[in-house]
Amino acid sequence: MNIFTLRRFDRWAVNLICITPAIVLGVLYVIGQLGPDPIMTLERRTGDVALIFLVISLLFTPLRIVTGFNRGIKYRRITGLWSFYYAATHFLIFLGLDYGFDFPLAAQAIVQSQYIWFGLVALFILLTMAITSTNGWKVRLRKNWRRIHRFVYLASFLAIVHFGLTLKGNLLPIRGDEFWPLVGLIVWAVLMLIRVPPIRKLVSRLK
Amino acid sequence: MDEDPDTLLKDEITPRQLYFSRRKFLRLSAVMGVTAALAACGVTPSASGTPQPDVETPLDTIEHYNNFYEFSTDKGAVANLVSDFVTEPWTVEIGGLVNNPMTITADEIISTYTATEHVYRMRCVEGWSIVVPWDGFPLNQLLAAVGVKPEAKYIAFTTLLRPTQMIGQNDPFYPWPYTEGLRLDEANNDLTLLVSGLYGDPLPKQDGAPLRIVVPWKYGFKSIKSIVKIEAVADQPATFWDTIAPDYYGFYSNVNPDVSHTPWSQATERRLGELGRRPTLLFNGYGDQVASLYAGMDLNTNY
């Protein structure tokens, strides 16, 4: 197998892994195996997957800083795009399945639900990044491309807060059902800290 | 079936057989409906319009969708985690500002008071609802028996604390044991039940065996499960959720579509087994029996 087919093969493998949760959820929904509230289950699980892929997409840069492993960088875009697909599906399920495209009703829910505000801003950032993710846009936007794509740090933070607010508890101080959002915030903080230039240099020197 | 006007009437309730065939139909139409709705961007089931009928929620759903954080925060996991939970023998301590404090077994309570069927809607603060045929009796009968003193203004309830069996109680992020409270007049309202069964059988463990409170016009978390203590007190007692997040879960927590005191809207709900959303009703539709309790109170501040 030459380098070219090997590279294509691992792209396919990553895409296959990333689409698996969607297939599993879709099949479970159709055969009625998502529990007594299947729509809420779909909403929650697609949100989980979107957030997990978003965090994974943030792992490759720190991985390079800490281990010098360079070849992971090419997976940033694929995993980030999959995060967007799941986030968009998550929102469409809310709008279509949950609220039956009843726009006034959905609008009322959005206005009255703080947690949705955080999710919508995150989704807007991911949408902008997805549109400008191609090489063409990268060239066209030059320096601004980096500026735009750095908003992923904000989007991931907002997504974790969005998740935390959907659970019964209190984010500040952490009380109630906020264990996983807390884990998310700690992982997020570590991934951000490694990127801070002085720390980045220190970590690179240590290896 | 008792004669209470507060419970749903049997003939208003769809037979199980018809209900299940409708459920199957709904699921099928969901699959097709999504495609159609996407194409037309049209309007599907709306939460407005005429009130939809109430249908008893199947036992299987009631037994496998439980908010019982003493075992797990995963509603689907609770049913499997209660197998080692021992509910016999069980004693309940009734005390505080009462004339005849007593420690009484659950069996004694169940044999002393006549339980009748009360079909109530239950609305969870998470935005879903069910209809449950509870077997119980008005709590005010028990309160009358112990004689609540005039200086008592509230009734406080406590759930069993037994982390060896209730493994969720090992989670340090919660103020165990679970506590709840009602104003005395709320506790004395005929709708407020001490429940020992549902669908004609003893309470499943995951639904709060052997004894629980059911307060149908408040969000589900007010209906405390597996009670070991009932106290009459002078001051408003601390409650589990109010301790965790006072901005979100007030002491009253009456079902109210206009007050989104949680970070999410309470305007609509999904009845488990249905596809669309229903409008949420003020006091969960029990306003005729309970609205007078809150006359002159601002429900926005007393949420």
Side-chain angles (χ1 to χ4, degrees):
Chain A
M1 205 184 280
N2 63 38
I3 293 290
F4 180 70
T5 50
L6 185 69
R7 197 178 294 156
R8 294 202 57 160
F9 172 76
D10 71 32
R11 276 281 150 88
W12 276 105
V14 170
N15 279 320
L16 198 65
I17 292 167
C18 289
I19 204 172
T20 303
I23 294 169
V24 170
L25 283 172
V27 169
L28 289 178
Y29 180 74
V30 171
I31 64 173
Q33 292 298 312
L34 286 182
D37 197 352
I39 297 176
M40 190 189 263
T41 307
L42 272 187
E43 284 171 335
R44 291 208 168 267
R45 296 294 88 85
T46 50
D48 293 347
V49 176
L51 183 52
I52 289 168
F53 283 150
L54 192 57
V55 172
I56 289 175
S57 76
L58 291 170
L59 277 172
F60 298 111
T61 301
L63 194 68
R64 178 168 63 178
I65 296 168
V66 175
T67 68
F69 178 70
N70 245 330
R71 296 180 47 200
I73 292 300
K74 66 182 175 193
Y75 300 120
R76 273 192 314 197
R77 180 156 75 186
I78 305 184
T79 47
L81 275 171
W82 276 104
S83 172
F84 165 71
Y85 298 149
Y86 278 96
T89 308
H90 175 66
F91 181 66
L92 280 176
I93 288 167
F94 160 80
L95 203 61
L97 264 187
D98 198 346
Y99 280 83
F101 291 107
D102 185 335
F103 292 108
L105 200 66
Q108 181 198 30
I110 291 169
V111 169
Q112 292 180 345
S113 307
Q114 294 161 23
Y115 80 95
I116 303 181
W117 309 346
F118 291 87
L120 275 182
V121 177
L123 181 62
F124 177 76
I125 294 172
L126 292 186
L127 172 68
T128 311
M129 289 176 62
I131 291 170
T132 60
S133 66
T134 59
N135 288 331
W137 276 104
K138 205 169 181 175
V139 172
R140 234 169 297 166
L141 287 166
R142 295 163 196 235
K143 267 188 182 167
N144 285 328
W145 190 88
R146 282 203 128 198
R147 288 188 187 133
I148 290 171
H149 284 245
R150 277 199 175 135
F151 272 96
V152 70
Y153 307 144
L154 177 63
S156 49
F157 177 76
L158 294 175
I160 296 166
V161 174
H162 168 71
F163 170 47
L165 287 175
T166 65
L167 299 171
K168 294 218 296 290
N170 209 343
L171 272 178
L172 280 175
I174 301 265
R175 298 219 72 180
D177 189 13
E178 302 291 355
F179 176 75
W180 286 111
L182 178 65
V183 169
L185 284 173
I186 291 170
V187 170
W188 180 86
V190 170
L191 294 181
M192 292 303 112
L193 277 174
I194 297 175
R195 289 173 158 87
V196 177
I199 298 175
R200 187 185 192 130
K201 270 186 201 143
L202 191 74
V203 173
S204 307
R205 215 172 296 148
L206 284 177
K207 73 169 186 252
Chain B
M1 186 72 203
D2 63 298
E3 301 289 286
D4 272 355
D6 48 76
T7 61
L8 302 162
L9 295 171
K10 262 287 187 212
D11 12 315
E12 288 175 10
I13 293 161
T14 311
R16 295 287 297 283
Q17 216 40 46
L18 198 62
Y19 175 78
F20 281 116
S21 60
R22 182 159 72 191
R23 223 181 163 196
K24 214 177 277 173
F25 168 76
L26 284 173
R27 183 166 294 137
L28 197 70
S29 48
V31 179
M32 301 188 292
V34 174
T35 336
L38 276 167
C41 240
V43 175
T44 37
S46 151
S48 50
T50 50
Q52 291 137 290
D54 289 302
V55 181
E56 282 180 15
T57 303
L59 181 62
D60 186 56
T61 301
I62 296 171
E63 288 184 330
H64 292 93
Y65 205 64
N66 310 100
N67 265 324
F68 204 168
Y69 281 20
E70 278 77 353
F71 294 94
S72 171
T73 55
D74 177 354
K75 289 183 274 295
V78 175
N80 293 324
L81 293 169
V82 294
S83 51
D84 296 331
F85 178 35
V86 179
T87 57
E88 263 176 277
W90 190 279
T91 52
V92 182
E93 191 188 326
I94 308 167
L97 301 169
V98 297
N99 295 318
N100 315 304
M102 57 173 85
T103 301
I104 183 170
T105 66
D107 289 341
E108 282 173 294
I109 293 178
I110 291 165
S111 59
T112 308
Y113 299 90
T114 313
T116 53
E117 186 181 70
H118 301 253
V119 183
Y120 284 163
R121 290 177 286 273
M122 171 165 280
R123 166 66 154 80
C124 179
V125 75
E126 295 167 353
W128 52 269
S129 60
I130 51 179
V131 178
V132 187
W134 301 108
D135 302 307
F137 64 91
L139 177 67
N140 55 33
Q141 293 179 11
L142 188 69
L143 295 179
V146 294
V148 177
K149 290 180 176 172
E151 57 267 39
K153 297 285 179 276
Y154 296 88
I155 304 294
F157 307 93
T158 309
T159 294
L160 177 71
L161 180 67
R162 192 186 285 164
T164 50
Q165 289 171 8
M166 302 171 117
I167 55 169
Q169 290 178 336
N170 296 303
D171 189 328
F173 292 112
Y174 300 87
W176 307 110
Y178 199 98
T179 49
E180 258 306 336
L182 294 170
R183 225 168 53 190
L184 184 58
D185 56 349
E186 296 175 326
N188 272 326
N189 188 283
D190 284 335
L191 289 185
T192 305
L193 302 179
L194 192 59
V195 162
S196 57
L198 58 85
Y199 267 120
D201 284 319
L203 268 183
K205 289 177 186 176
Q206 60 268 38
D207 290 292
L211 286 169
R212 69 174 295 171
I213 296 293
V214 172
V215 199
W217 72 94
K218 294 173 180 286
Y219 293 117
F221 64 86
K222 293 293 289 185
S223 295
I224 184 170
K225 301 185 187 79
S226 305
I227 308 172
V228 290
K229 200 195 274 181
I230 300 175
E231 281 174 295
V233 293
D235 299 314
Q236 183 177 304
T239 69
F240 185 81
W241 283 109
D242 197 26
T243 306
I244 291 170
D247 294 345
Y248 300 154
Y249 308 102
F251 178 77
Y252 287 96
S253 289
N254 294 318
V255 175
N256 188 340
D258 302 321
V259 180
S260 348
H261 52 83
T262 49
W264 53 88
S265 169
Q266 297 293 351
T268 61
E269 67 200 55
R270 185 167 35 256
R271 182 63 51 83
L272 295 190
E274 292 179 1
L275 264 179
R277 287 188 161 260
R278 291 170 172 247
T280 288
L281 308 170
L282 181 62
F283 300 120
N284 206 20
Y286 298 101
D288 288 351
Q289 293 95 315
V290 300
S292 59
L293 295 170
Y294 311 101
M297 275 174 67
D298 182 352
L299 296 177
N300 281 298
T301 46
N302 296 289
Y303 53 77

